[in-house]
Amino acid sequence: MFGRNDSVDTLSRNLDHARVKRDALASDVTALTAQIAEIEARLSEEKNRRECDRVLGEIEAIKKRIKQTTSALAPLIGKLCEATERAAAIVPEARALDSFLLSVATEVDSVIDPLLRELDRRADEVRLGRAALDDLPCLANEAPTELPSGDLPLERAAAGMRQTI
């Protein structure tokens, strides 16, 4: 009889030990689950921050390219206007090209500032977290958009001037 009680006591102790071990493991699982959730939240925040930085960088690159191109365009139009004024002394029809060039310069100036303001507004939306980043295109890896050759108003006007000369 004495041997039976020892095995019952041993089994009872083993059961208690297993329950304590189970409870400790359950506590560890709960703690690990909380840590995983915290790490996932930090990872998500970091991904969002990086995506915001990427979009803001692309917007700034677009603005810089627009400003550089616009600043390069103005002197070119000025030089073309000077050349067409000189040409007008020989070919009066050149004044039409001069007038066209001035209207192109005016039109470019009238649309650039609103475009830059809209880009700034979109950048502010990204900074404030109001913009859906998934809706914004990824432009960093795209080649610069080139204007189609032979279909520009300036080229058509120049071609018309060459025909009249």
Side-chain angles (χ1 to χ4, degrees):
M1 218 169 185
F2 189 76
R4 286 187 187 165
N5 281 341
D6 279 343
S7 79
V8 169
D9 288 341
T10 302
L11 288 173
S12 184
R13 278 193 307 274
N14 287 346
L15 180 62
D16 288 341
H17 180 69
R19 285 181 176 151
V20 168
K21 199 172 184 180
R22 179 201 62 198
D23 292 344
L25 287 173
S27 176
D28 287 347
V29 167
T30 301
L32 287 173
T33 301
Q35 285 179 341
I36 289 170
E38 179 186 332
I39 292 168
E40 285 174 339
R42 288 183 10 218
L43 177 62
S44 178
E45 287 173 8
E46 181 62 18
K47 284 181 178 180
N48 285 341
R49 187 193 63 75
R50 287 184 181 191
E51 183 65 7
C52 284
D53 288 348
R54 179 195 65 79
V55 169
L56 291 172
E58 288 181 9
I59 290 172
E60 288 303 316
I62 291 167
K63 285 175 44 182
K64 181 179 178 180
R65 185 167 176 207
I66 289 170
K67 289 176 182 178
Q68 287 175 339
T69 305
T70 302
S71 66
L73 180 64
L76 291 176
I77 289 178
K79 288 179 182 180
L80 280 170
C81 286
E82 288 175 16
T84 56
E85 285 175 16
R86 289 184 184 154
I90 301 167
V91 181
E93 292 84 8
R95 281 188 176 72
L97 180 56
D98 187 50
S99 174
F100 174 74
L101 289 171
L102 292 174
S103 68
V104 167
T106 302
E107 185 65 24
V108 167
D109 284 341
S110 72
V111 296
I112 292 297
D113 286 337
L115 175 60
L116 293 174
R117 280 193 302 272
E118 180 62 18
L119 286 168
D120 284 335
R121 187 187 70 74
R122 301 268 174 110
D124 289 341
E125 286 179 353
V126 169
R127 280 186 204 94
L128 296 173
R130 291 188 208 146
L133 297 177
D134 297 338
D135 295 341
L136 297 172
C138 181
L139 303 173
N141 297 328
E142 291 182 12
T145 304
E146 300 213 4
L147 297 173
S149 180
D151 192 32
L152 299 174
L154 186 57
E155 288 181 5
R156 288 193 303 265
M161 290 301 294
R162 282 192 294 271
Q163 289 175 354
T164 60
I165 296 176

